[in-house]
Amino acid sequence: MKCKDINIRDPYILIYKDTYFMYGTRGETAFKGEAYGFDVYKSKDLINWTGPIEVFHRPENFFSEKSYWAPEVYCINGKFYMFATFENKKKGLGTACLIADSPEGPFALWSKGYLTPHKHRCLDGTLFFDRESKPYMIYCHEWKQIHDGKICVVPLSDDLKRRVGKPRVLFSASSAKPFVKRFLFRNYITDGPFLIRTDDDKLHMLWSTLAKSGYVEAMAHSDNNDISGNWTVDPELLYDHDGGHGMIFKDLKGVYQMVLHYPNTFEQEHPVFIPLKYSNGRFRFM
């Protein structure tokens, strides 16, 4: 199948043994009804895909029955760790960690509940290791709770089972001038943070928000090129065509690729791959 035939949001690529594994939010249960799990699609060329293969199915008495969002999978020491967002029956929203022996699952709950702060509505957790190999999770504090969405970071235990420190705000959505647009009068949205360290040792963050052109991809940069730095939003959008919640990776040919979902319309979303060039600290379309 081709990308246009795959209805997912929030696409994420893991490269493992010369194969691309693509995870994402199931389009049909993203915003309505009960959610039951996550799938993976496989490809050798980013064009032709096989799947879906179910990698996580909701077990009996699982704490969440809706809003299964934004799975990201990392291979660490031969194990596969999935960071994904879940909403529970008490209206909590947060990111938890799951584990499997294979990129095709089956994944089972690994963390001790949410890795995000329990009293905060949080989503879209992504994993990052600093120069000393200490793990952190970067995530969004949801605009529905605080109106001005935040991108935050929290340190994690080495086994990725729990958070081990207090969260820190990296920046607010309202700081994304001149392009950010209010949503429903007084709200500003943060979605889908993803960090990438480029070959020049600079640290960049891809993230999504709303602008006049719809759902967009923006960039932010750390002043010390690590998670501990002060972050500023790039005033120039990377992508402004009503698509977002993506990530950037180097493909098997060494070319930077951005994958995102487009359009940002319920049940019409599909993954789109855009090759990028990088120079002078900035990504641009090729």
Side-chain angles (χ1 to χ4, degrees):
M1 70 179 68
K2 306 296 185 182
C3 284
K4 64 180 177 60
D5 304 312
I6 301 173
N7 177 215
I8 61 170
R9 298 177 63 87
D10 321 324
Y12 182 90
I13 295 293
L14 168 71
I15 301 176
Y16 182 69
K17 292 186 176 179
D18 297 328
T19 298
Y20 300 102
F21 292 82
M22 180 168 63
Y23 306 84
T25 302
R26 288 174 174 171
E28 70 274 13
T29 59
F31 301 117
K32 68 178 184 179
E34 291 191 6
Y36 293 93
F38 294 116
D39 304 312
V40 69
Y41 298 82
K42 299 165 59 176
S43 176
K44 295 291 187 180
D45 58 10
L46 300 178
I47 298 172
N48 301 291
W49 296 87
T50 59
I53 301 167
E54 188 172 57
V55 297
F56 171 72
H57 187 83
R58 187 180 79 198
E60 187 176 354
N61 298 321
F62 192 62
F63 74 95
S64 169
E65 294 181 346
K66 62 180 294 188
S67 300
Y68 289 14
W69 294 340
E72 299 188 358
V73 176
Y74 310 84
C75 182
I76 305 171
N77 297 325
K79 295 288 187 179
F80 296 85
Y81 296 85
M82 175 186 287
F83 281 60
T85 299
F86 301 94
E87 186 167 2
N88 67 29
K89 295 177 180 178
K90 295 182 179 180
K91 305 300 182 182
L93 184 70
T95 294
C97 182
L98 291 73
I99 193 170
D101 293 324
S102 163
E104 298 180 23
F107 283 85
L109 189 62
W110 174 250
S111 61
K112 297 183 182 299
Y114 288 146
L115 293 171
T116 43
H118 292 170
K119 293 183 179 180
H120 295 173
R121 285 184 61 86
C122 305
L123 66 156
D124 297 347
T126 188
L127 180 62
F128 173 75
F129 290 91
D130 70 7
R131 291 190 176 99
E132 298 178 353
S133 299
K134 294 181 180 178
Y136 293 83
M137 185 177 63
I138 295 83
Y139 64 93
C140 299
H141 190 174
E142 193 183 35
W143 61 270
K144 289 183 179 180
Q145 185 177 48
I146 57 175
H147 302 295
D148 189 3
K150 304 287 191 289
I151 301 285
C152 305
V153 61
V154 67
L156 302 180
S157 59
D158 289 339
D159 61 7
L160 307 181
K161 281 193 170 184
R162 57 193 175 88
R163 62 185 182 277
V164 293
K166 294 181 179 180
R168 179 171 75 93
V169 175
L170 300 184
F171 60 89
S172 301
S174 62
S175 68
K177 298 175 180 178
F179 57 80
V180 71
K181 179 184 177 182
R182 286 190 181 98
F183 179 66
L184 298 178
F185 303 108
R186 62 171 179 161
N187 304 299
Y188 296 92
I189 293 174
T190 51
D191 274 347
F194 176 80
L195 274 66
I196 181 169
R197 187 178 296 282
T198 43
D199 292 340
D200 56 4
D201 201 37
K202 293 186 182 297
L203 185 62
H204 313 274
M205 183 192 300
L206 181 72
W207 66 287
S208 291
T209 189
L210 285 182
K212 291 181 180 180
S213 55
Y215 203 44
V216 297
E217 288 282 18
M219 299 295 298
H221 311 283
S222 166
D223 65 353
N224 70 351
N225 294 309
D226 216 336
I227 195 64
S228 61
N230 296 311
W231 288 79
T232 56
V233 174
D234 196 312
E236 183 177 348
L237 285 170
L238 180 59
Y239 180 91
D240 65 354
H241 304 307
D242 197 35
H245 196 128
M247 53 94 72
I248 297 173
F249 65 99
K250 272 190 177 180
D251 67 17
L252 292 169
K253 296 179 180 180
V255 176
Y256 282 113
Q257 299 275 353
M258 178 171 63
V259 61
L260 49 77
H261 71 249
Y262 170 86
N264 191 44
T265 303
F266 181 54
E267 296 187 322
Q268 296 182 28
E269 314 95 327
H270 59 271
V272 173
F273 291 86
I274 302 171
L276 301 175
K277 59 183 178 180
Y278 178 80
S279 63
N280 299 320
R282 297 291 187 273
F283 288 100
R284 297 288 185 267
F285 288 3
M286 294 183 69

